[in-house]
Structures are given as structure tokens and as C-alpha cells.
Amino acid sequence: MKRIMKFAGLLAAGLMLGQGPVVAETGITGFHDSTSGTYMDYMKTVYARAGKPELLQLPLTAFDKEYDLVGLAAESWSQSEDGLTWTINLRNNLTWSDGHPLTSEDYLFSLQRAATSGYDFAWYWDFAGGIKNWKPVTEGSADVAELGLGAPDEHTLTVTTETAKPYLPSVISLWYPVPKHIWDEHGDDYAANVDTLVSSGAFKLDSWEKSTNKMVFSKRADYAGPWPAQIDKVTIDPSVGAPEVGFPAYLAGDTDLTNLNAGQIPFAEAKFKEQLRTNAIFAVSYFSFDLEAEPFNNIDVRKALWYAVDREEMTSTVLKNLAIPAKSLLAPGFPGYNEGLTQYATFDPEKAREHLAKAGYPNGEGFPKVEVWYRKQGGYNGAITAPMLQYLQAEYKEHLGIEMDIKVMSIQEWMDALLNKKNSLFLSPYEFDYLDPSNFYGIFYNGGRHSHHLASYDELVAQADSNPNWETRLELYEKAEMELINNVSIIPLMHPITTSLIKNEVKGEGTSPNKLGFSPLDARITYFYTHVTK
């Protein structure tokens, strides 16, 4: 009773002094993959970006935890009758964190700069966006003014595409603004310093430890757009990204969420069942080749590798609770997933050896030693990649008699090597960017990110992308994937699933499962961190 009276007296004294009751600041600590990077600007670099600029900047659209598309900076959009021009209307009450209005010029400038500055994600706006004249502008043969982009007024954007893109509103979920008024003064370096990194989203950047890439964000009190922040502070620490570090940090109370590796899951199931969350990631990891380089320019070599993969054993042993077999490009549940295409991904070591002998390497004799390159990552890939490659390394040795070395590198080095064909064999992960089959089929369209050129495939994907009829599109995509399968352009290996822990103290819609029973958590980063409380 004395304690209660004492507290009441202090509270009353505070109110009398006009200070009001003290409200505790709320915060959450999470993780990310990037331990390096100079620029915190998604429109400057995706693969070498520092931290999570997605927490700072406001995309035109975004997906919520149900994977429904929501307009953020965009209030509405419409398509012309010929299907080639989209008009996007921005909300009129949006500002940067320095008070400057957020306008269509900031979005227009971000893509114009991307098209003319060697942007490492430029291929996305070619295959997915299909923006008119994007390729000639990025290659330097056309002026940036010829891009199919416009800003007729400060609240309107127009996008003209080479062919009809019925799914463009999903594509622009990765279109973030660049503060032109700040860039005009500081150039790209605006995104390398806390003092000049203004925000258009629900959070602003408070601190950035350059040596570790640890970042602290705080809620913007002046943010007037959709999905305002409900929590005061977000700390993102890459040092706890790997489950081997993240889980002990979680047990010590140093982080509020963590992914788990296969060895940690049984313990977590026994001790923290109510804190467990699972998510089916719409992603795929696959072997990709330089189809013009030996020995992978021989289709029988690629077929040998295809038939020597036992996906069921791999995902039930070394990847148990971490992945399911990838027998097609699309993951189960993703729009356009086709069960019929999975029948071709069979494990047949005898057939694998027949193809290898046909290629001139009976029992692996004379086969050159090859090296698969993969990128070092935290998160769910951190728990999956190494054991998967070690398993496949042993499988190829056992069933084919061939040696496959493994090389790990940073994301930046890996992407540079992939785009510039510095190696002939890669483990390539790809997580969806928007909910449409074109997202995955576009990876290999007209070069894509793999310099993959298969005329029959390109023709089918182009037809599917522009067709307004959903069922017709799916039929065309099925034929297109059969071209990939018959050519063994890639070898799908697995679709990741994640098992995570999140503290009971963290509440809100961002923490609860969706209608399918999955919890995307920070896989939908903009939604998650604006829909949690503590």
C-alpha cells in the first residue's frame, strides 16, 4: 500500500508540474543480412546496399502479410485502353522527414538515375517493368528523356511500357523515391550519412555504426501516409543474422526475433512452442550455368547433374524443416504454380550416368573439376546453403564420380560474377519481388540476370506477359517452363521455409499468422515493422 501511495504521489506531482505521466519508449531488435555496403539507397544499389533502406523510403505499393497489394505512396492507378500506359496518382499529404514535399519528381528522378548510373537491379525494370526504351537508355544508345516515364504534375506519374503489363502495380512495389532536393546538393553520398539521409517512410534513421552496419530507426511523428509506425524504435543488427548467433542472442534477450537452423528447431519446439512461427518463402534456389562455357555447354552434362539430385532425401535430412523440394521454378501456393511440371524433376542416378557417358565422361573420367559459387548470407539462406551444397557435392561424387568445389563470397562479389560471367556454375537464390508468375519467368527472359538467351522461351514469355487472360497466360508460362526443362537451363533444388522465434512481448498484426497459417514476419519488412507493438 505504501508503494502504491508513493507512486500516486509522484504521479500527481508530475501532473502538477505539467510534465504528464512518463510513457516508456517501445523498441524492437531484429536483424538483416548486410554487413557491408556504402549506400543506404535501394535505387542506387540493391545487391550492395547498406542495411535496410526499405524501412526509410516509401514505395508506391507494397504487399501485406496476406500478400494483398496495397497502395502506399500511390493512392490509385489506372491502365489505358491499349494496355501500354499506366497513370499513377500519388497521395497529396506526403512529406520527407525534413518537411519538404514528397512529389512525383522524386520517383521520376529515382528511375531516371537508375537507368543512367549502372544500377545493379536495372534488369528488373527491363524484364518486369518493360518500360519503354529502358534497354537502349541503360546501354547508352538513347537519351534518358526517351524513357517511358513522365510526371505531368507533382502528384501524377505515367509509365509507358513496350508491351502490355497487366501486373505493373505489383512491379512498382520496388519503386522507391530519391530525395532530389537533397541529391542535388550532396549527390549519391546523401545516402551514406545519417545527417543527409532524409526519410519518406514511417521511420527515420537515428544512428548507423559503419563498422558493423548496425542501425537504429525511430518513428516519424510527422509521417502522414498509410502504415504509420506503432513502435518507437527499431534496431537492426546484422551480427545476429545467422541462426548460430541469433538464437543465443535471443535466449540472452539481445534480440526479439531470430531464424532457426535445423539443429535448433527441436529444442525451440520443446521450450518455446508459443513463440514459434513458420513461413513458406516464395523463393527458389537453383543451379545456373554459363551455357556457352565448357563443360556446361553440353546438354548431356546438364542432364546428368539434373538426374543426380535427390531432392526428397536432401530436404528430409540436411534441410529438414528448412526447405521443401523444388521440382519447378514456382513454389507451391505461388500464383501460377503448376503441379504437372513437377513430374520431370526425378532422381535417377542410372540415367544421370548414361548422360554423363554420352557427354564423353564415363563414370566422371576426364571431367574437369568445377567450382560452384554462392553468396554468403544470414537469415534463412544462412541456415540452408552450406549443408545443401555439401550434400550435393557428396551426391555428385557418389553417383557421377565428379568433383565439385565450393566457393563462398559476398553478395556484391557474387552478383558481379554472375552478371559478368566470371564463373560457369552458380548456386542462385531468388525470392519473389511481386506476386505474378512473370516475376520468376522474367529472370531468364531475353538475357535476364543470367545472360540466358533461348528464343523459344523468350517468345512464349513475351506472349504470356502481355496477355490479359489469366488462363491463357498460365498455359503459355507452362510451355515456357517446358523449354527451360528440356534445355536444362537451370536445375531447381529447393524452396525454403523458415522457422523463427519472436518474443511474446512483441504484439500486433505483424506477428500473427496469415490466412494460410504462415507468418512472413520481416520477410514483408515494411508491413512487419509498422504493424508491431511492444
Side-chain angles (χ1 to χ4, degrees), residues 272-283:
F272 306 107
K273 194 171 183 63
E274 75 284 357
Q275 300 173 38
L276 281 171
R277 302 290 189 277
T278 58
N279 188 36
I281 305 293
F282 292 145

Side-chain angles (χ1 to χ4, degrees), residues 385-452:
T385 307
M388 176 172 65
L389 285 178
Q390 290 161 10
Y391 172 87
L392 293 169
Q393 184 183 49
E395 285 285 280
Y396 287 152
K397 177 67 174 175
E398 176 185 352
H399 299 301
L400 298 176
I402 66 176
E403 301 279 352
M404 181 181 74
D405 288 341
I406 301 169
K407 181 177 181 179
V408 60
M409 58 190 62
S410 70
I411 294 177
Q412 299 96 305
E413 292 173 312
W414 181 89
M415 197 65 205
D416 175 69
L418 181 71
L419 294 174
N420 293 295
K421 302 172 74 171
K422 295 182 178 179
N423 192 42
S424 56
L425 178 62
F426 291 87
L427 176 67
S428 300
Y430 192 86
E431 184 177 341
F432 88 103
D433 294 310
Y434 60 96
L435 279 177
D436 189 87
S438 61
N439 188 187
F440 285 90
Y441 292 113
I443 304 171
F444 312 99
Y445 172 71
N446 194 27
R449 72 172 186 171
H450 292 287
S451 298
H452 177 270

Side-chain angles (χ1 to χ4, degrees), residues 240-251 258-272 276 320-322 379 382-383 499-501:
V240 295
E244 294 75 15
V245 180
F247 186 40
Y250 183 88
L251 296 176
T258 183
N259 286 335
L260 300 174
N261 64 29
Q264 295 164 344
I265 291 174
F267 178 81
E269 287 177 332
K271 299 290 186 180
F272 306 107
L276 281 171
K320 185 179 181 180
N321 296 320
L322 298 176
T499 302
S500 307
L501 287 171

Side-chain angles (χ1 to χ4, degrees), residues 87-242:
T87 300
I88 303 164
N89 303 303
L90 304 186
R91 301 178 190 276
N92 59 15
N93 59 343
L94 302 175
T95 64
W96 292 96
S97 55
D98 63 356
H100 195 279
L102 174 65
T103 70
S104 57
E105 181 183 39
D106 298 308
Y107 288 92
L108 176 65
F109 173 69
S110 73
L111 272 188
Q112 288 178 332
R113 184 189 64 155
T116 55
S117 61
Y119 185 40
D120 57 10
F121 203 50
W123 57 272
Y124 173 85
W125 294 100
D126 180 29
F127 91 73
I131 297 171
K132 186 176 181 180
N133 292 325
W134 181 268
K135 199 153 195 173
V137 170
T138 59
E139 292 174 346
S141 60
D143 187 79
V144 69
E146 297 181 51
L147 275 179
L149 300 170
D153 61 55
E154 65 179 15
H155 293 118
T156 307
L157 287 164
T158 59
V159 180
T160 302
T161 55
E162 298 281 3
T163 59
K165 296 286 182 180
Y167 49 85
L168 192 77
S170 293
V171 174
I172 60 176
S173 63
L174 295 183
W175 188 351
Y176 296 89
V178 171
K180 190 172 185 303
H181 67 291
I182 298 293
W183 190 91
D184 285 342
E185 183 177 353
H186 299 280
D188 291 344
D189 285 344
Y190 91 91
N193 298 287
V194 174
D195 294 339
T196 52
L197 247 172
V198 293
S199 160
S200 57
F203 293 98
K204 58 185 177 69
L205 184 64
D206 286 350
S207 65
W208 177 359
E209 295 179 16
K210 294 295 184 75
S211 60
T212 63
N213 243 1
K214 182 178 180 180
M215 299 174 174
V216 178
F217 303 81
S218 64
K219 176 171 66 176
R220 274 185 61 192
D222 62 335
Y223 174 71
W227 296 359
Q230 301 174 34
I231 202 157
D232 296 316
K233 285 197 179 292
V234 173
T235 301
I236 305 292
D237 185 355
S239 71
V240 295

Side-chain angles (χ1 to χ4, degrees), residues 60-95:
L60 291 172
T61 60
F63 295 100
D64 63 17
K65 72 174 184 180
E66 303 291 351
Y67 297 99
D68 292 330
L69 189 68
V70 177
L72 293 188
E75 187 170 42
S76 62
W77 47 85
S78 58
Q79 189 176 20
S80 62
E81 287 189 14
D82 64 4
L84 296 178
T85 300
W86 285 86
T87 300
I88 303 164
N89 303 303
L90 304 186
R91 301 178 190 276
N92 59 15
N93 59 343
L94 302 175
T95 64

